[in-house]
Amino acid sequence: MTTETAVDLKHLNTLLVERMKVKRRPVAISYCADAPPPGYEPANVVACAIVREAEAGRRVYVDAQHHDCWVGQYHLGWLPNPQPLITEGEYLTMAQGFFTPEGARRNKAQSNSLPQGAIAALAAAPLDDVPDGVEVDALICITDPMHAMQIAGAASVREGTFPIGEIGPSACASIFATPRLTRNSVFATGDGGGRMHNRVGAGEMFISIPREHFHYIVELIENFRIDPEKMRELIMPSHAPRGGQET
C-alpha cells in the first residue's frame, strides 16, 4: 500500500521543469470539499480548461454555478437530474457522426465520474504558485509520450504500481475523476474537445498524478540513471561478456 509522503511543491516543480525539461507548466489541482480556496477566481469555462487557465498563471475554479460544460458537470458530480443526453452519450451521436448510439452509451458507461456532491469545487493553480495552506490533491501536466512514460510511470518503478492509460473517455473524466477514484496515476489522450480547449498538440497527452505518488516523481528524478551498455550486457546475449551466463 502506498504511504503518502509530504513533498515540497516548488521543489517538485523545479525538478519537472529544470531536470525533466517539461515544456508546459505543471498544474496543481485541489478537490474542494466545502468551498474554493481564498484567492481563486471562478472560471466559466469547460471544466478541463482550468488546466490551460492555470498554465497561463491563473488560480481558478469551477463548481456547480461556474462552468460551461454539462459533460464536465456530470463527471465531477454536479449535474442535477442527469439526462440521457449526457449519461447515455446522446450528445455524441447528435454532434459527431462517427459515434453509434451503442458506442456512445458504452463510452459513458465506462467513463469514471465522481459521486454526486462529492466535492463542492475543483480548483487549479500553477504548481509553483499554490498559496500557503491550500491542499493539493493532484498534479496535471500536458507533455510528450516520453515524459508521460517517466512521470506517470514513477510509481511503477518505485513500488510496482502501473499507471492507468485511457483513450476514449472525456478529458475531464480521465484527468479529474479517474485519479481521484483510483488513487493512481493516469496518462490519457483526452477527447477532441479536451484537447482543443487545452491546445494539446499532436505529440502531447495529459498526465494526472495523485498526491500519493508525488514523492515517487521526486525519487525517480533524483535517482535517474541509465547505463545502456550495462543493460545490453545483462539482457542481450550478443552483448554479454565472453563466458557470461547463457540464456
Side-chain angles (χ1 to χ4, degrees):
M1 179 177 291
T2 300
T3 301
E4 189 174 332
T5 303
V7 169
D8 181 286
L9 298 180
K10 286 186 170 58
H11 178 56
L12 175 58
N13 186 83
T14 297
L15 290 176
L16 290 169
V17 173
E18 296 185 5
R19 294 276 295 277
M20 295 295 279
K21 306 295 184 184
V22 295
K23 292 182 171 59
R24 295 180 63 155
R25 198 172 188 179
V27 170
I29 298 294
S30 299
Y31 299 89
C32 310
D34 301 313
Y40 282 61
E41 308 171 67
N44 291 313
V45 297
V46 297
C48 61
I50 63 172
V51 175
R52 176 68 178 169
E53 295 290 327
E55 281 185 333
R58 297 182 64 197
R59 299 170 181 168
V60 298
Y61 71 88
V62 288
D63 60 14
Q65 290 74 45
H66 303 92
H67 67 88
D68 194 26
C69 180
W70 297 119
V71 177
Q73 293 289 290
Y74 170 61
H75 289 298
L76 292 172
W78 296 326
L79 191 61
N81 303 313
Q83 301 297 315
L85 176 69
I86 304 299
T87 63
E88 298 288 316
E90 291 177 0
Y91 72 95
L92 293 169
T93 57
M94 295 168 69
Q96 301 178 73
F98 46 81
F99 266 99
T100 65
E102 179 65 6
R105 184 190 66 77
R106 295 187 66 184
N107 177 289
K108 287 300 157 192
Q110 296 177 88
S111 298
N112 283 315
S113 297
L114 297 182
Q116 189 74 21
I119 60 173
L122 184 74
L127 185 63
D128 62 345
D129 192 28
V130 178
D132 292 340
V134 174
E135 188 171 88
V136 172
D137 297 298
L139 153 69
I140 292 178
C141 191
I142 298 171
T143 190
D144 60 88
M146 183 187 74
H147 286 103
M149 174 190 69
Q150 295 169 338
I151 300 168
S156 73
V157 301
R158 303 305 292 182
E159 69 166 29
T161 299
F162 281 0
I164 296 169
E166 293 197 346
I167 299 176
S170 299
C172 50
S174 293
I175 64 177
F176 300 138
T178 297
R180 179 70 167 178
L181 294 173
T182 65
R183 303 292 180 178
N184 196 4
S185 297
V186 173
F187 62 94
T189 57
D191 61 318
R195 294 180 67 85
M196 175 184 68
H197 290 293
N198 284 287
R199 301 180 188 176
V200 180
E204 295 177 319
M205 62 176 62
F206 297 92
I207 56 172
S208 185
I209 317 298
R211 70 180 181 208
E212 291 90 343
H213 288 181
F214 286 1
H215 67 106
Y216 291 136
I217 301 173
V218 175
E219 292 172 9
L220 168 78
I221 297 173
E222 291 185 339
N223 292 280
F224 200 82
R225 177 181 63 85
I226 299 175
D227 186 338
E229 288 301 321
K230 187 64 176 178
M231 180 66 77
R232 294 187 186 101
E233 177 187 315
L234 291 170
I235 69 171
M236 298 175 66
S238 60
H239 285 71
R242 289 185 178 181
Q245 181 178 359
E246 293 185 359
T247 58

